[in-house]
Amino acid sequence: MITYRLAVSDDADALVSLLAEIMLHHGVTPPAVERLRATVDTVLASRDHHFLVADEAGSIVGMCALVFSYSTWSAARVCELQDLVVTQTERGRRVGRGLVSAADKMAQEHGCSRLFLSAESWNLDAHRFYRSLDLAEKTYLYFERDLRSSAAPHSGADASP
């Protein structure tokens, strides 16, 4: 039987492993294990960022991250679901559905008005999965700047606000 619960410090190694697994699955080289572990430890100590895990007899078979914040657009508390992953050997057993359901319940318990997530445009399997859960599909463009680069950011002087 699978139980869904918040992660604790004893789960850190399994979380690091699952995060590395999903990154490799998406063709991304994971950061050094020590750096990923430090990030996991920071999240575990956070008040507004949590890991939700799928635990089967003491073995973590899936996880997602939940980030709680306040939305000025919604004028309410919201929850972003990040990094949903089920280990390869457990996919197809409805573990992901259980994680999203547990995340939805936790967001409601935290007084959130919305639960939202992003999926890469090429990740068609994820799109099908989220549609099957009756999540409303929104279309938008996502912009970011890599702040790790040494190049100075563009001034934006010629851009509209």
Side-chain angles (χ1 to χ4, degrees):
M1 181 171 135
I2 297 175
T3 58
Y4 299 92
R5 61 172 176 79
L6 288 177
V8 295
S9 59
D10 287 346
D11 300 322
D13 290 338
L15 295 169
V16 168
S17 178
L18 280 168
L19 288 166
E21 181 177 336
I22 194 65
M23 289 176 196
L24 290 170
H25 178 73
H26 287 177
V28 174
T29 303
V33 172
E34 302 79 27
R35 190 166 142 225
L36 193 51
R37 175 61 189 255
T39 300
V40 165
D41 290 342
T42 298
V43 171
L44 287 169
S46 175
R47 290 184 53 219
D48 292 319
H49 195 165
H50 306 283
F51 290 115
L52 181 63
V53 297
D55 182 326
E56 185 171 37
S59 180
I60 305 302
V61 296
M63 59 137 299
C64 63
L66 303 176
V67 182
F68 295 95
S69 64
Y70 288 90
S71 166
T72 54
W73 188 262
S74 301
R77 193 161 163 89
V78 295
C79 180
E80 180 180 4
L81 190 151
Q82 298 178 340
D83 304 324
L84 176 66
V85 58
V86 175
T87 193
Q88 179 68 39
T89 59
E90 299 299 316
R91 292 184 192 151
R93 293 188 52 223
R94 304 180 66 84
V95 175
R97 286 181 179 278
L99 281 165
V100 174
S101 178
D104 190 88
K105 181 179 178 191
M106 184 171 288
Q108 289 179 38
E109 289 170 353
H110 279 77
C112 294
S113 66
R114 290 187 295 132
L115 174 73
F116 65 96
L117 58 91
S118 299
E120 297 285 353
S121 62
W122 52 263
N123 195 346
L124 302 180
D125 288 339
H127 300 178
R128 279 188 291 278
F129 173 66
Y130 297 130
R131 286 180 187 122
S132 78
L133 298 175
D134 293 326
L135 290 168
E137 185 173 340
K138 305 284 184 166
T139 302
Y140 67 96
L141 295 177
Y142 170 84
F143 299 89
E144 72 176 24
R145 174 177 286 130
D146 186 346
L147 298 175
R148 297 169 294 182
S149 68
S150 60
H154 184 273
S155 69
D158 59 342
S160 298

